[in-house]
Amino acid sequence: MTLSVGVIGLGVMGAEHLRLLREETGGARVVAVCDADADRAQALAQGAQVFSDPMALIAAQGVGAVVIASPDATHAGLALACIAAGKPALCEKPLAATAAEALRIVDAEVAGGRRLLQIGYMRRFDPAYAEMLAVRQAGGIGAPVLLHNIHRNAAAPDWFTGPMAVTNSFVHEIDISRWLLGSELASAIVHAAPGGDPLMVTMETDKGEIVSTEVFMNAHYGYHVHAQMVGREGTVEMAAPAVTLANRARQHGHGFPANWVPRFADAYRIQMRAWVNAVATDQPVGASAWDGYVATAVAEQVVTALQTGAKAQLFLGSRPALYT
Ligand code: ISE
C-alpha cells in the first residue's frame, strides 16, 4: 500500500524531505504540502494539494501521514495535532521548545497507547555512527570510557536566535551520545569561549562515561561533524567526511560541505525509507517521542548550566512503558 504523505514546512529540510519522498523512497506519495510562503508551496507542489493552514493538512482525509519540517517553535503543536488525529508523523528535531511541552506530547502518545511519532534525529541512520555502535556492541573496543564529539557549522544559520547552539544543534549530540553509549546522561557543565562561540560541553553518563562536545557555530572552513569513542581496549572514530581525495591548489585532501545536508545525505535517505517502512508495518524505529523529550529536557538544563556556569545534575523522570 502506498503511504499518502503531507509535508509541512518547505525550507531547507522540508524541501529535502519532499525530494527524498518523491525521488528516493518507494511506497510513499506526496499528496499535500504546506508552507508559510504560499508561492513557495505552489512552486514545489507538483500536483499535491496546497494548504496554507498546517492543521487543515493534518486533518485532511487523504493525508495518511505527516512530515513536520516547519520552524522549531511550531513542532510541538503540530505533533500534538497528529497524535490527536491518529496520524503517524516524522517530526524534525527538536520535538518541542520546552521540556514541559515535550512531556505533554509524550503523555498524549502514552494516553493513545501507540507510538505515532518518529523524531528526526537522523544521525541514528548515518552509516558511520551505525558502525561505531556495532563496534561497541560487539565488544570491539572494550568498555567505553570517553566519547569526543565535534560539531562545527561554517556559519550559524540566519534564523538562529538565543541559545539555539544548544537547543537546535547540540541536541544532536545529546541524542547520538545516549544512542551510541546506551547510557543516560547524568550531569553537564558548559564552558563558552569569549563571545559565546564555540561552546565546550562536558557530560557524565549514568555509567560514568565522559562525553565531551565542541559546538562551534561559526567555524568558517565548512561543516564538520566528528565522533571518537574511546574504550578500555581501543578506539573507534569516523573516517574523514568524504569519499574522495583531491589534489588542487597545492593541496591534497578532503573537502568539507557547506552544511549538514550533503554530510548526512545517506542518513536522511535511510531515515525516510525507514520511516515509511515503519508506518507501513506499524513497527516504530528511530528516535521516539521519549527520546525527543530527553533531548529537549537535557538541552534546557544545559542552557541553564551555560547561564549559571554551574554543573547541572540532569533530571529526566521515568520512562513510560510504551518506550521500553
Ligand atoms: C541544523 O538544524 C541541523 O540539524 C544540523 O544537523 C546541525 O548541524 C545544525 O547546527 C542545525 O542548525
Side-chain angles (χ1 to χ4, degrees):
M1 209 185 72
T2 302
L3 186 66
S4 298
V5 182
V7 179
I8 300 174
L10 302 172
V12 174
M13 274 330 303
E16 178 62 6
H17 289 317
L18 196 63
R19 190 192 70 74
L20 288 172
L21 283 163
R22 285 180 173 150
E23 298 175 15
E24 310 220 28
T25 312
R29 194 163 60 99
V30 178
V31 297
V33 293
C34 177
D35 192 82
D37 177 344
D39 292 341
R40 183 165 173 80
Q42 206 61 59
L44 292 172
Q46 291 182 20
Q49 193 177 350
V50 176
F51 287 84
S52 55
D53 175 5
M55 293 298 184
L57 179 148
I58 293 168
Q61 252 196 346
V63 171
V66 180
V67 172
I68 301 172
S70 43
D72 293 5
T74 65
H75 294 177
L78 299 173
L80 277 171
C82 288
I83 294 170
K87 295 191 181 178
L90 174 61
C91 178
E92 264 301 339
K93 39 62 55 178
L95 172 59
T98 64
E101 244 181 348
L103 208 50
R104 274 200 292 282
I105 296 169
V106 166
D107 288 345
E109 226 186 30
V110 168
R114 187 173 157 217
R115 277 183 54 182
L116 286 166
L117 298 183
Q118 180 178 327
I119 317 306
Y121 284 110
M122 81 301 167
R123 291 187 185 184
R124 293 176 179 222
F125 298 95
D126 177 66
Y129 279 116
E131 201 168 305
M132 289 176 70
L133 176 69
V135 168
R136 176 188 68 77
Q137 287 178 330
I141 58 165
V145 284
L146 295 173
L147 174 64
H148 297 296
N149 299 307
I150 287 175
H151 186 167
R152 299 187 185 134
N153 284 237
D158 52 13
W159 40 266
F160 254 47
T161 53
M164 282 182 107
V166 175
T167 61
N168 181 280
S169 298
F170 176 64
V171 282
H172 278 298
E173 274 76 23
I174 297 173
D175 184 68
I176 206 66
S177 301
R178 295 175 62 231
W179 184 81
L180 274 177
L181 294 167
S183 306
E184 286 302 341
L185 300 165
S187 74
I189 186 155
V190 190
H191 293 94
D197 183 44
L199 300 176
M200 187 68 212
V201 188
T202 308
M203 301 187 289
E204 290 162 311
T205 72
D206 56 353
K207 296 202 219 93
E209 297 129 339
I210 298 171
V211 177
S212 74
T213 307
E214 172 199 318
V215 188
F216 196 178
M217 293 310 303
N218 296 282
H220 291 284
Y221 67 88
Y223 185 79
H224 187 186
V225 165
H226 183 79
Q228 182 184 55
M229 199 180 337
V230 179
R232 293 279 179 203
E233 290 160 33
T235 74
V236 58
E237 70 188 286
M238 287 174 184
V243 288
T244 56
L245 286 165
N247 299 311
R248 52 181 294 278
R250 292 171 297 287
Q251 290 189 344
H252 170 77
H254 298 282
F256 286 97
N259 70 16
W260 55 92
V261 180
R263 163 63 186 85
F264 287 111
D266 290 340
Y268 285 116
R269 189 180 56 249
I270 297 167
Q271 168 184 255
M272 187 58 81
R273 290 180 182 171
W275 176 63
V276 168
N277 186 55
V279 174
T281 57
D282 202 12
Q283 298 287 323
V285 295
S288 66
W290 175 255
D291 297 315
Y293 156 74
V294 171
T296 292
V298 171
E300 194 170 271
Q301 294 169 71
V302 166
V303 169
T304 306
L306 169 64
Q307 287 160 350
T308 60
K311 181 171 174 176
Q313 299 300 331
L314 302 171
F315 174 78
L316 294 175
S318 48
R319 182 197 296 252
L322 183 64
Y323 305 103
T324 51

